[in-house]
């Protein structure tokens, strides 16, 4: 069915006009586990909207649609042309194409979106997060058109959207604030002046910003100059507003935020906290609720300040007040996000309140059906943001793009919630956020939630893009994380050289080696099993015992594997391990048992020369296995020289060449910035690896570039 | 071995008796016993010598070059303990230029021949020994190779040549050349009867190159193997051209530029292991079916990714490898000529365990057009599959043959015809999936229904037409003003699978995700396909 719809869509795109398609037959749905969203029942008799347009894409659009469906509300999806077959479009009752791939021409294109609302007769709009969610012009235009914005009132968005104003309001509402300079920083020199007053480290951030964009930390004057320049550019291109702020950067800080919910009748409650300290480049990676750090007193104080702030701006709907908390449990107001947050599911898990449901109710004018006394903390929830990025590159991640040729979410595991907007076959493109999904696990204790998370990450099959599961898994087993002794600097502190992959423990290595050799043994048997070679039959019998040399993590390990009737007996040194046999070598996820202990691995690749890539504990390990006979000869093989790439500046990711700072013939010094690549809206500056003269520049600013493209060559 | 010893000792005994008629029996017996011992130790010594090839220092120098010896190679290629050697004791018969000197005589004479098993299936092999006279080909040496080639033909089993030879044994003159010709003749007669594979693991120069050239597949080892008619010295002398061995005839030159080699591997070990893997795809002879191996990958597996893979805009590229890998068993695809004429992808894979040949236009490179190189690459592959009963699956996304003077003057007409000829004569099961464009003559060529395609599918994104809308409209409505409208009309009429489907030129329009399921089912159905071409001595393909 869908392909024919697709064909139709394609014709529509060729005609280059906006088309509305109503699907009578829907074959797609995501598993909607209502219990993980809410324990409060949806009152079907309560008046609500008939049709809601979701002005967003991806997982959050799907998330909102799910609750709308549960409430019996019809949904309208909007999409860019590259998204015409994406999951949120398939899930919605109607879909409207609002323009080409770049967000500015589609998901941010208010004129077309307003048209779509008119065309479809949607009574309300849920903006999700990002895009137009905190755009007060959009909410104003909706109000003018008589369409309900599912979010806070225009005034609250404006007041909280401006960091200077919000700080002032917070101050007036007796909310603790961070020391800093109350004003826009005009230039680098002025920034350095303020930094001297406040004292390094300082943080510069876009006045209009959010989500880590246009935000940088500087520890000295040089970094401040570079940061100021990059933040200005990023702020301009991301928000169309290059005003920057400067403030004290609090050391050992924890990022803890309070979820608030307010109605139009003066009721406001806080839904406790979320700890989001595991961040990279100021973007959250792992969040949990509640925090291991807060005591009841601090929680209450933070909650009450958050509510006070919300009330001060006549807030309605769901919102989040972000705080930095120092080691003494002093907390400082950071900013208020006037939208549904990415990490809202963990709050839903521990409070049993469906935030989208409440947002829709509040927007319809209903009073909150819950009071502060109804809200407790029930169990523990953890969220991992699974990104399509290479965690080994740059600072814990460079975006990776591609098509998911295999994709299976671990939803078969109880107490797992996966919020995603993709399915097998979806493409992660350069146009949008590289988040694959939000993987949420729930448990009665933190340990239970974390254990489920580890299992879920192990069972998550993602092929076609590089993903950050290795980093997530490594953090989950980190002693500091397990103890809850984290700060927002956790990642740079614990991985000062960047993330290099999980380092196997002795036990894990033993398990991995025994599984790898068992897989090889199975493959070898398969290789000599022919079903129809009868004219000359197959000769000899498969070897039951193999002596192998396994190369893993730069070590050579001698292993003997024996193919027994019910298991593989693996001898490594003085250890004897048994690996079960009840698994299929073609499965995406292999659930093996090593000495009775369950171990999940994924065979990413396996070639005839004994090279395997096996994903274990989130990390993909390259392993080479050969027989001892081959191993003896291997040392004779010449080592292949890798081409010297130090004379080339290579794009580490696909994106757009944002700017070039050198020309042909110019001398560049080692470490000098030579160009900036914009990918996923982030500016990444590339540096020369050597001092030399620029021989050629292969691209112009504005060109699209692919991963591995040589941008600049030195002589 | 026992029988040889018996014969030797009998002959020794007879000679002894003839010489010493009057000696009493007892003494004769003790003497013959002594002789037997001598022969035994001579056998041991010769065998030992044969194993050592050109001697330890030459073995060391071979190793230093990063190359394995002829025997090490055979042992890695064959299942452990399965290799049976022929002609260990053969020596050259040349007496000129000091060749009679025992120092210049080596048992086995520089080539190891015999048979063994690869994953339990029989294969004949010869492995040239560079440590003996630089692996040069003597007449004795050629005889050994011919012997196993003859046996392979009788038995119906493939021949694998591991080439590492400096060329002809110059001391032997024309005898050596005769040896080459004997091998060529056998190569040609074996062609299409048993698979012949060459792995170039050292030099292979001059006339010697024509034996691998005739074999079905030529693989090379990076950095240590060369193929050329004349070496850099002659090139310099004749053409005054400076060129290195590597640039003239290294693995890169032949896998990327000349198309003389079908693939290259990093080193000897990898090459031999990959060759074992490759061997598993092939039937032993033209009398055997394409092998079926145990498969764990479900034949009914749906592939959602295929539903979204073809871009909405018909001018946007995508990677046909994504289609191939998603469709075949376990994403395993042995690509033939991966670096040459990349606008067409060919290689072996399995569907529900059964070997299939895959041909696919590659929209990512030169829009997937057919040019001279792509046509020749595709044609040779299709003919191999047809010779050896390997079903062919063709993924079509072709905008046509490449236009231009260089193509026309280079002979795209006759080279393109090779691919057409190959598909048209093929009688193996032929399955076709049109993923997007199937334009013009190229549509006909790419395993179309008209060339006896057994089952032809179109995806909903398929466009079977004489050409793209723009070009067509320019011709049909020459001088007409309303081009856009006409173009739209053409798109609606032809840029979809219905015109072809309504005429029965495609059997069905299918949801792409069901492609694997259908192909597996069809292969099963066609496994008993019977089709033969009219009797002929052989066709006359436009070479």
């Amino acid at each position: 069915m869908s392909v024919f719809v697709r064909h139709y869509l394609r014709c529509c795109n060729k005609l280059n006009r906006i088309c509305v398609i109503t699907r009578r037959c829907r074959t797609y749905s995501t598993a909607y586990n209502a219990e993980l969203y809410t324990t409060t029942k949806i009152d079907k008799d309560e008046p609500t909207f008939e049709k809601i347009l979701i002005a967003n894409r991806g997982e959050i659009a799907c998330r909102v649609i799910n609750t709308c469906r549960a409430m019996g509300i019809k949904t309208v999806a909007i999409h860019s042309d590259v998204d015409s077959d994406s999951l949120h479009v398939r899930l919605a009752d109607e879909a409207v194409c609002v323009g080409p791939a770049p967000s500015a021409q589609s998901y941010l294109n208010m004129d077309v979106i307003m048209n779509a609302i008119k065309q479809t007769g949607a009574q309300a709009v849920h903006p999700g997060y990002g895009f137009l969610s905190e755009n007060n012009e959009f909410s104003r235009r909706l109000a003018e058109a008589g369409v309900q914005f599912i979010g806070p009132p225009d005034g609250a968005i404006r007041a909280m959207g401006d960091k200077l104003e919000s700080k002032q309001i917070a101050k007036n509402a007796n909310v603790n604030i961070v020391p800093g300079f109350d004003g826009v920083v005009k230039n680098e020199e002025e920034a350095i002046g303020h930094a001297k007053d406040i004292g390094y480290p300082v943080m510069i951030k876009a006045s209009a910003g959010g989500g880590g964009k246009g935000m940088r930390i500087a520890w000295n004057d040089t970094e401040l100059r570079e940061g100021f320049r990059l933040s200005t550019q990023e702020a301009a291109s991301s928000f169309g507003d290059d005003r920057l702020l400067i403030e004290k950067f609090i050391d050992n800080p924890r990022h803890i935020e309070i979820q608030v919910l307010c109605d139009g009748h003066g009721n406001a409650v806080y839904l406790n906290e979320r700890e989001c300290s595991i961040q990279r480049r100021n973007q959250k990676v792992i969040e949990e609720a509640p925090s291991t750090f807060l005591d009841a007193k601090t929680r209450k104080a933070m909650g009450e300040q958050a509510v006070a702030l919300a009330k001060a701006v006549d807030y309605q709907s769901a919102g989040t007040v972000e705080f930095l908390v120092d080691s003494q449990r002093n907390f400082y107001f950071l900013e208020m996000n006037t939208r549904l947050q990415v990490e809202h599911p963990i709050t839903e898990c521990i409070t049993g309140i469906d935030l989208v449901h409440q947002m829709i109710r509040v927007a319809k004018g209903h009073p909150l059906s819950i009071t502060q006394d109804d809200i407790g903390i029930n169990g523990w929830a953890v969220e991992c943001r699974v990104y399509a990025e290479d965690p080994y590159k740059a600072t814990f991640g460079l975006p990776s793009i591609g098509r998911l040729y295999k994709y299976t979410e671990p939803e078969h595991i109880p107490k797992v919630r996966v919020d995603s907007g993709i399915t097998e076959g979806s493409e992660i493109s350069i146009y949008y956020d590289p988040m694959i999904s939000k993987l949420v696990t729930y448990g009665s204790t933190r340990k239970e939630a974390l254990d489920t998370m580890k299992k879920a990450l192990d069972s998550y099959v993602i092929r076609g893009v590089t993903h950050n599961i290795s980093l997530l898994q490594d953090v989950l087993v980190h002693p500091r994380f397990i103890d809850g002794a984290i700060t927002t600097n956790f990642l740079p502190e614990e991985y000062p050289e960047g993330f290099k992959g999980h380092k196997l423990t002795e036990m894990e290595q033993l398990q991995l080696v025994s599984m790898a050799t068992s897989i090889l043994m199975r493959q070898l048997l398969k290789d000599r099993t022919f079903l129809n070679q009868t004219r000359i039959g197959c000769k000899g019998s498969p070897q039951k015992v193999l002596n192998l040399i396994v190369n893993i993590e730069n070590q050579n390990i001698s292993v003997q594997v024996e193919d027994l009737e019910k298991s593989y007996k693996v001898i490594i040194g003085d250890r004897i391990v048994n690996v079960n046999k009840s698994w299929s070598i073609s499965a995406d996820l292999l659930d093996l048992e090593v000495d009775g202990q369950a171990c999940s691995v994924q065979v990413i690749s396996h070639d005839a020369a004994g090279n395997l890539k096996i994903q274990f504990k989130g990390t993909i390990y390259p392993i080479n296995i050969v027989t001892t006979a081959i191993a003896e000869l291997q040392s004779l093989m010449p080592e292949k020289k890798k081409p010297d790439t130090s004379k080339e500046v290579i794009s580490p990711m696909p994106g757009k060449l944002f700017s070039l700072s050198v020309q042909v013939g110019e001398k560049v010094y080692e470490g000098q910035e030579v160009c900036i690549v914009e990918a996923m809206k982030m500016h990444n500056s590339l540096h020369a690896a050597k001092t030399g003269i620029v021989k050629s520049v292969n691209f112009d600013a504005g060109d699209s570039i692919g991963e591995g493209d040589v941008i600049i060559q030195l002589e | 071995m026992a029988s040889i010893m018996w014969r030797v000792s009998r002959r020794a005994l007879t000679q002894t008796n003839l010489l010493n008629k009057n000696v009493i029996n007892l003494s004769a017996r003790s003497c013959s016993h002594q002789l037997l011992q001598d022969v035994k130790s001579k056998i041991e010594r010769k065998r030992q010598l044969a194993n050592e090839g050109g001697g330890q220092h030459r073995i060391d120098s071979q190793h230093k070059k990063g190359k394995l010896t002829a025997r090490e190679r055979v042992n890695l290629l064959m299942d452990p303990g399965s290799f049976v050697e022929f002609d260990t004791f053969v020596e050259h018969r040349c007496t000129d230029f000091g060749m009679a000197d025992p120092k210049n005589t080596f048992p086995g004479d520089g080539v190891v021949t015999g048979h063994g098993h690869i994953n339990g299936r029989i294969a004949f092999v010869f492995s040239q020994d560079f440590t003996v006279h630089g692996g040069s080909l003597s007449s004795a040496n050629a005889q050994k190779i011919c012997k196993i080639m003859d046996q392979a033909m009788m038995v119906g089993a493939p021949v694998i040549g591991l080439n590492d030879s400096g060329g002809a044994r110059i001391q032997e003159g024309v005898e050596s050349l005769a040896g080459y010709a004997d091998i060529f003749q056998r190569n040609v007669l074996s062609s299409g009867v048993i698979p012949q594979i060459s792995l170039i693991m050292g030099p292979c120069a001059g006339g010697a190159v024509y034996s691998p050239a005739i074999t079905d597949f030529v693989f090379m080892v990076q950095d240590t193997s060369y193929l050329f008619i004349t070496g850099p010295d002659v090139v310099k002398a004749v053409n005054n051209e400076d060129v290195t061995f590597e640039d003239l005839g290294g693995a890169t030159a032949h896998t990327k530029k000349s198309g003389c080699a079908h693939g290259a591997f990093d080193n000897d070990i990898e090459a031999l292991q990959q060759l074992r893997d490759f061997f598993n795809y092939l039937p032993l002879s033209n009398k055997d079916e394409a092998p079926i191996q145990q498969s764990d990958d479900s034949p009914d597996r749906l592939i959602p990714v295929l539903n979204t893979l073809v871009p909405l805009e018909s001018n946007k590229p995508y990677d046909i490898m994504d289609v191939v890998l998603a469709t075949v068993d376990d994403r395993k695809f042995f690509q033939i000529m991966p670096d040459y004429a990349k606008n067409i992808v060919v290689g072996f894979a399995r569907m529900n365990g059964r070997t299939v040949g895959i041909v696919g236009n590659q929209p990512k490179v030169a829009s997937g057009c057919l040019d001279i190189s792509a046509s020749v690459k595709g044609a040779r592959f299709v003919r191999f599959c047809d010779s050896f009963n390997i079903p062919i699956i063709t993924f079509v996304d072709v905008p046509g043959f490449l236009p231009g003077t260089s193509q026309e003057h280079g002979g795209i007409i006759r080279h393109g015809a090779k691919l057409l000829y190959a598909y048209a004569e093929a009688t193996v099961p032929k399955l076709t999936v049109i993923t997007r464009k199937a334009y013009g003559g190229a549509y006909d060529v790419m395993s179309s229904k008209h060339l006896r395609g057994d089952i032809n599918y179109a995806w909903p994104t398929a466009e079977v037409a004489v050409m793209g809308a723009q070009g067509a409209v320019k011709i049909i409505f020459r001088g007409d003003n309303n081009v856009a409208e006409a173009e739209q009309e053409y798109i609606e009429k032809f840029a979809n699978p219905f015109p072809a489907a309504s005429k029965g030129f495609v059997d069905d329009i299918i949801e792409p995700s069901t492609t694997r399921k259908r192909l597996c089912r069809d292969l099963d159905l066609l496994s008993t396909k019977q089709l033969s071409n009219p009797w002929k001595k052989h066709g006359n393909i436009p070479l």
Side-chain angles (χ1 to χ4, degrees), chain A residues 230-498:
Chain A
L230 289 171
S231 289
T232 309
Q233 289 166 0
E234 257 178 46
S237 73
S238 295
F239 316 111
D241 177 354
D242 65 357
R243 290 178 305 152
L244 296 185
L245 308 178
I246 189 163
E247 65 184 23
K248 171 82 176 169
F249 175 65
I250 294 173
D251 227 334
N252 275 332
R254 300 174 76 115
H255 178 122
I256 300 177
E257 59 191 28
I258 301 288
Q259 176 74 52
V260 295
L261 197 54
C262 313
D263 64 17
H265 306 271
N267 302 312
V269 294
Y270 60 90
L271 281 74
N272 298 318
E273 79 280 9
R274 292 186 289 258
E275 161 125 34
C276 316
S277 295
I278 306 296
Q279 308 185 342
R280 56 112 170 77
R281 295 191 307 247
N282 289 307
Q283 278 184 305
K284 296 159 190 168
V285 181
I286 299 176
E287 300 105 338
E288 60 184 311
S291 163
T292 54
F293 191 58
L294 292 195
D295 49 32
K297 196 179 121 212
T298 317
R299 177 173 296 127
K300 187 157 184 279
M302 288 172 78
E304 281 167 358
Q305 286 199 8
V307 166
L309 179 65
K311 283 191 168 165
V313 290
D314 293 326
Y315 201 83
Q316 289 177 40
S317 195
T320 299
V321 182
E322 296 189 339
F323 291 99
L324 277 185
V325 183
D326 73 11
S327 56
Q328 304 308 307
R329 295 196 176 83
N330 297 315
F331 56 91
Y332 305 99
F333 167 69
L334 208 55
E335 61 179 10
M336 179 168 188
N337 295 317
T338 55
R339 55 173 150 86
L340 187 65
Q341 296 265 103
V342 177
E343 60 273 21
H344 75 274
I346 52 176
T347 296
E348 296 184 328
C349 285
I350 62 157
T351 58
I353 292 162
D354 181 335
L355 285 168
V356 173
H357 175 217
Q358 296 302 328
M359 285 176 86
I360 294 170
R361 288 188 64 252
V362 168
K364 186 67 189 171
H366 298 296
L368 290 178
S369 53
I370 35 173
T371 65
Q372 193 63 51
D373 293 339
D374 299 331
I375 297 157
I377 298 177
N378 183 18
W380 212 285
V382 182
E383 174 181 283
C384 282
R385 295 197 193 182
V386 181
Y387 281 104
E389 57 185 24
D390 186 343
Y392 304 120
K393 284 190 187 166
T395 324
F396 308 106
L398 260 192
S400 158
I401 56 165
R403 192 172 291 280
L404 296 161
Y405 64 79
K406 287 236 169 105
Y407 183 75
T408 314
E409 293 173 351
E411 283 187 317
H412 58 284
I413 300 170
K415 296 188 179 174
V416 171
R417 165 175 167 182
V418 188
D419 280 23
S420 75
I422 50 168
T423 52
E424 186 165 306
S426 294
E427 191 180 10
I428 310 280
S429 72
I430 59 163
Y431 299 110
Y432 312 110
D433 192 75
M435 191 164 78
I436 297 172
S437 78
K438 303 184 311 205
L439 182 59
V440 179
T441 60
Y442 175 70
S444 53
T445 62
R446 183 170 188 254
K447 185 175 183 304
E448 195 189 315
L450 291 179
D451 285 347
T452 308
M453 180 60 80
K454 280 181 260 179
K455 199 171 157 201
L457 285 169
D458 268 344
S459 309
Y460 206 151
V461 178
I462 303 169
R463 307 279 168 79
V465 294
T466 314
H467 53 75
N468 67 334
I469 287 181
S470 53
L471 176 64
L472 297 170
Q473 281 282 38
D474 206 47
V475 173
L476 291 178
V477 297
H478 197 289
R480 238 182 97 184
F481 179 80
I482 293 168
D483 292 346
I486 50 176
T487 74
T488 53
N489 299 321
F490 176 86
L491 290 177
E493 276 169 16
E494 293 304 320
Y495 307 95
E497 306 288 309

Side-chain angles (χ1 to χ4, degrees), chain B residues 61-379:
Chain B
S61 106
Q62 176 86 348
H63 283 165
K64 238 176 232 140
K65 285 182 224 158
K67 303 198 301 184
L68 299 180
T69 65
R71 278 172 202 285
E72 286 166 343
R73 286 167 176 168
V74 169
N75 288 336
L76 288 190
L77 177 64
M78 297 296 183
D79 294 348
S82 71
F83 180 61
V84 178
E85 188 175 348
F86 286 171
D87 292 339
T88 317
F89 300 103
V90 164
E91 289 168 4
H92 72 76
R93 299 174 289 269
C94 181
T95 50
D96 298 325
F97 307 108
M99 287 296 280
D101 188 332
K103 273 199 307 197
N104 285 331
T105 305
F106 301 86
D109 200 30
V111 64
V112 178
T113 60
H115 59 80
H117 306 142
I118 297 178
N119 284 315
R121 295 195 311 154
I122 193 159
F124 286 80
V125 65
F126 67 87
S127 177
Q128 294 175 324
D129 188 348
F130 195 78
T131 66
V132 176
H133 296 300
S136 59
L137 190 102
S138 67
S139 79
N141 182 306
Q143 253 177 22
K144 284 181 68 174
I145 294 172
C146 290
K147 189 191 269 183
I148 61 127
M149 290 178 83
D150 290 341
Q151 280 218 348
M153 278 291 275
M154 284 190 294
V155 170
V159 173
I160 297 171
L162 307 179
N163 298 65
D164 188 0
S165 160
R169 184 83 52 90
I170 299 169
Q171 294 89 335
E172 292 197 9
V174 73
E175 275 205 82
S176 172
L177 296 182
Y180 277 124
D182 290 341
I183 295 170
F184 298 158
Q185 181 65 58
R186 281 165 178 79
N187 281 140
V188 171
L189 293 181
S190 305
S191 181
V193 182
I194 50 170
Q196 300 179 84
I197 306 163
S198 302
L199 178 55
I200 316 298
M201 309 187 83
C204 180
V209 298
Y210 285 112
S211 171
I214 297 165
T215 62
D216 299 302
F217 295 99
V218 181
F219 298 107
M220 294 179 78
V221 179
Q222 293 282 2
D223 304 329
T224 47
S225 71
Y226 311 102
L227 270 172
F228 39 67
I229 298 290
T230 52
D233 293 347
V234 180
V235 171
K236 174 75 180 166
V238 177
N239 299 18
N240 197 27
E241 214 181 313
D242 284 307
V243 67
T244 62
F245 278 85
E246 186 59 38
D247 286 348
L248 182 64
T252 308
H254 287 306
T255 52
K256 287 191 178 157
K257 291 180 191 153
S258 76
C260 288
H262 295 88
F265 306 108
D266 269 357
N267 57 47
D268 280 16
I269 292 177
E270 204 216 312
L272 293 161
Q273 286 176 289
Q274 294 283 1
L275 198 56
R276 283 174 62 83
D277 185 43
F278 175 67
F279 188 80
N280 265 7
Y281 288 102
L282 310 181
L284 296 182
S285 76
N286 63 354
K287 292 191 194 75
D288 295 290
E289 282 179 45
I292 303 176
Q293 289 205 297
Q294 182 73 47
S295 171
D296 283 12
D297 194 354
S298 165
D300 296 331
R301 175 166 59 85
L302 291 179
I303 318 164
V305 70
L306 297 185
N307 284 347
T308 57
L309 211 140
V310 177
L312 297 169
E313 298 82 357
S314 63
N315 57 357
K316 266 203 182 160
Y318 62 95
D319 193 347
I320 198 71
M321 284 293 281
D322 289 342
V323 178
V324 174
L325 292 176
T327 306
V328 301
D329 288 0
D330 297 318
R331 298 182 70 79
K332 286 205 168 126
F333 181 51
F334 194 102
Q335 209 185 144
I336 299 298
M337 300 176 110
D339 297 321
Y340 181 78
K342 290 179 175 179
N343 40 346
I344 198 163
V345 167
V346 302
F348 297 102
R350 292 194 180 85
M351 292 290 274
N352 199 19
R354 184 194 311 265
T355 297
V356 291
I358 304 266
V359 181
N361 306 112
Q362 172 58 288
K364 212 176 79 168
V365 180
S367 304
C369 72
L370 288 175
D371 58 8
I372 293 171
S373 308
S375 303
V376 175
K377 172 178 168 181

Side-chain angles (χ1 to χ4, degrees), chain A residues 1 6-7 10 84-85 403 405 424-425 526-527 529-533 535 538-539 584-586 608 637 640, chain B residues 117 120-121 155-156 223 266 280 285 288 290 292-294 296 304 307-308 310 312 330-331 460-461 463:
Chain A
M1 183 67 203
R6 218 165 106 73
H7 191 77
R10 195 167 146 201
S84 55
D85 196 33
R403 192 172 291 280
Y405 64 79
E424 186 165 306
K526 193 177 169 217
D527 282 346
T529 310
F530 293 89
L531 306 180
N532 66 339
Q533 297 293 287
R535 187 179 58 85
C538 291
K539 320 276 182 191
S584 155
I585 200 165
S586 295
M637 295 296 104
K640 297 286 165 185
Chain B
H117 306 142
R121 295 195 311 154
V155 170
D223 304 329
D266 269 357
N280 265 7
S285 76
D288 295 290
I292 303 176
Q293 289 205 297
Q294 182 73 47
D296 283 12
N307 284 347
T308 57
V310 177
L312 297 169
D330 297 318
R331 298 182 70 79
T461 43
E463 304 171 10

